[in-house]
């Protein structure tokens, strides 16, 4: 049997499958290109673009939707809003006291220098720069002050730390919006010495108050004695000028005694002759001079 002379029948629609395959491939590539040629930059962010051929582009892209070449380019998004960083460092003061100081720093990258930041520091620029410069600055500043000065001159210490940190961070294209000292902790010995000093100061103030009170009591006693002497002098003059003054005082005393007895809960028995406390025996006549 000669197979060379046999004819193979053509399948109906045999050319449609490659055409559909081509359409599917083109459509898939188009969909991939459209979906990967757009990227968004959210509010408070900036973007730079890395090109596989030319490297990092110098342009910084602001907020919004931007175009890029799929696969050849990829965006790198940076958050340019201020972010807080808390750092604690243990340093020695000028009088050799160990001080644990806590610092809160608000930092953000310079938006127009993002390409340089990426080339030199990468995306984690904060973790690479801030810990080293903050620790070094804290140790340098704290060493210039005594432990007590760190408390009394806290504002000056904070200003000096901020000035040095701002200059150091600017070298790495990082801006500092705020620097504040959050905590100051001293060693046990220094803390105990401060407490003892406060107790001694309180005792001194208390002793000073006692001395002043004694002085005031002394002055009050002198004034009171002078008043009593003056009163006695006036009474003596009154008696000399008018002997009935004594009789008047006796009547006043008798009235007070009678009032006290009448209001007392106890029972008091008096002789009928003494009901008026011998007022009837008083000589109410004044002496004739």
């Amino acid at each position: 049997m000669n197979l060379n002379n046999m004819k193979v029948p053509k399948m109906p629609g045999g050319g449609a499958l490659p055409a559909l395959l081509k359409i599917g491939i083109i459509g898939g590539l188009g969909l991939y290109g459209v979906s990967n040629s757009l990227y968004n930059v959210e509010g408070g962010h900036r973007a730079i673009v890395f090109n596989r051929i030319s490297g990092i582009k110098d342009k910084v892209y602001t907020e919004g939707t931007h175009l890029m070449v799929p696969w050849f380019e990829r965006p790198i998004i940076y958050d340019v809003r201020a972010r807080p960083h808390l750092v604690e460092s243990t340093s020695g003061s000028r009088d050799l006291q160990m001080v644990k100081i806590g610092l809160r720093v608000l930092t953000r990258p310079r938006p127009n220098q993002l390409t340089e930041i990426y080339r030199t520091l990468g995306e984690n620029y904060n973790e690479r720069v801030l810990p080293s410069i903050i620790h070094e600055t804290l140790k340098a500043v704290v060493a210039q002050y005594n432990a007590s000065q760190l408390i009394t001159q806290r504002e000056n210490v904070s200003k000096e730390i901020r000035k040095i940190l701002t200059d150091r961070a600017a070298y790495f294209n990082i801006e500092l919006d705020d620097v504040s000292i959050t905590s100051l902790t001293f060693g046990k010995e220094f803390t105990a010495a401060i407490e003892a000093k406060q107790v001694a100061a309180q005792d001194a103030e208390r002793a000073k108050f006692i001395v002043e009170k004694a002085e005031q009591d002394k002055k009050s006693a002198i004034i009171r004695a002078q008043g009593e002497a003056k009163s006695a002098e006036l009474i003596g003059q009154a008696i000399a000028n008018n002997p009935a003054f004594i009789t008047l005082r006796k009547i006043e005393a008798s009235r007070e005694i009678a009032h006290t007895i009448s209001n007392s809960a106890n029972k008091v028995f008096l002789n009928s002759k003494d009901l008026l406390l011998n007022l009837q025996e008083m000589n109410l006549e004044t002496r004739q001079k």
Side-chain angles (χ1 to χ4, degrees):
M1 184 176 179
N2 189 2
L3 298 177
N4 294 328
N5 295 325
M6 294 182 63
K7 295 181 179 180
V8 180
K10 295 182 179 180
M11 298 296 294
L17 184 61
L20 291 176
L21 183 60
K22 290 179 181 179
I23 293 174
I25 293 174
I26 294 173
L29 291 176
L31 181 62
Y32 172 82
V34 171
S35 61
N36 289 275
S37 62
L38 298 175
Y39 66 93
N40 293 326
V41 180
E42 303 294 336
H45 294 72
R46 297 291 186 273
I48 58 177
V49 174
F50 173 77
N51 188 285
R52 294 181 182 272
I53 298 175
S54 59
I56 294 292
K57 293 183 176 181
D58 293 331
K59 183 179 179 180
V60 177
Y61 296 86
T62 58
E63 303 164 2
T65 301
H66 304 276
L67 292 171
M68 66 177 180
V69 180
W71 190 82
F72 283 97
E73 295 179 344
R74 63 180 177 90
I76 302 168
I77 309 297
Y78 276 91
D79 187 352
V80 295
R81 296 171 295 185
R83 290 187 294 174
H85 299 274
L86 299 176
V87 180
E88 289 188 348
S89 177
T90 302
S91 307
S93 62
R94 189 170 63 180
D95 53 354
L96 304 181
Q97 297 292 336
M98 299 307 297
V99 182
K100 185 178 181 181
I101 182 171
L103 200 68
R104 180 178 180 270
V105 184
L106 287 179
T107 65
R108 56 187 175 86
R110 290 179 177 175
N112 57 346
Q113 298 294 330
L114 289 179
T115 55
E116 184 66 22
I117 291 175
Y118 184 79
R119 288 191 182 100
T120 57
L121 301 175
E123 297 184 53
N124 299 325
Y125 61 94
N126 278 334
E127 288 72 12
R128 297 190 179 191
V129 173
L130 290 181
S132 60
I133 64 175
I134 290 178
H135 284 292
E136 183 180 355
T137 301
L138 288 177
K139 292 181 183 299
V141 174
V142 171
Q144 300 176 12
Y145 294 87
N146 293 332
S148 58
Q149 292 176 336
L150 293 175
I151 300 175
T152 58
Q153 303 180 22
R154 183 167 179 165
E155 184 177 355
N156 294 334
V157 175
S158 180
K159 288 181 179 179
E160 188 169 353
I161 292 174
R162 178 172 183 172
K163 180 180 180 299
I164 297 176
L165 273 182
T166 301
D167 295 339
R168 293 292 305 276
Y171 178 78
F172 299 97
N173 297 309
I174 300 174
E175 294 183 356
L176 270 65
D177 291 336
D178 182 64
V179 177
S180 58
I181 298 175
T182 57
S183 63
L184 274 175
T185 306
F186 300 93
K188 295 181 179 180
E189 296 80 4
F190 185 75
T191 303
I194 292 178
E195 293 178 353
K197 184 178 180 180
Q198 291 177 346
V199 171
Q202 292 175 357
D203 293 340
E205 289 295 328
R206 189 180 297 109
K208 181 179 178 182
F209 171 76
I210 293 173
V211 172
E212 292 178 353
K213 184 175 180 299
E215 290 290 335
Q216 293 298 326
D217 292 343
K218 179 181 178 181
K219 293 180 180 179
S220 299
I222 294 173
I223 294 173
R224 186 166 51 251
Q226 291 175 350
E228 291 176 353
K230 186 66 176 178
S231 176
E233 181 182 355
L234 294 176
I235 291 174
Q237 292 178 359
I239 294 173
N241 296 331
N242 189 1
F245 179 78
I246 298 178
T247 304
L248 178 61
R249 286 300 180 91
K250 287 183 179 180
I251 293 173
E252 292 177 352
S254 300
R255 186 168 61 182
E256 292 179 1
I257 294 172
H259 179 72
T260 303
I261 293 174
S262 63
N263 293 332
S264 176
N266 300 324
K267 294 182 180 180
V268 180
F269 294 93
L270 295 174
N271 192 339
S272 60
K273 295 181 180 180
D274 297 333
L275 288 177
L276 294 178
L277 300 177
N278 299 328
L279 290 179
Q280 68 275 12
E281 298 179 0
M282 292 184 181
N283 184 12
L284 301 179
E285 296 180 356
T286 59
R287 296 181 181 176
Q288 297 294 331
K289 293 184 179 180

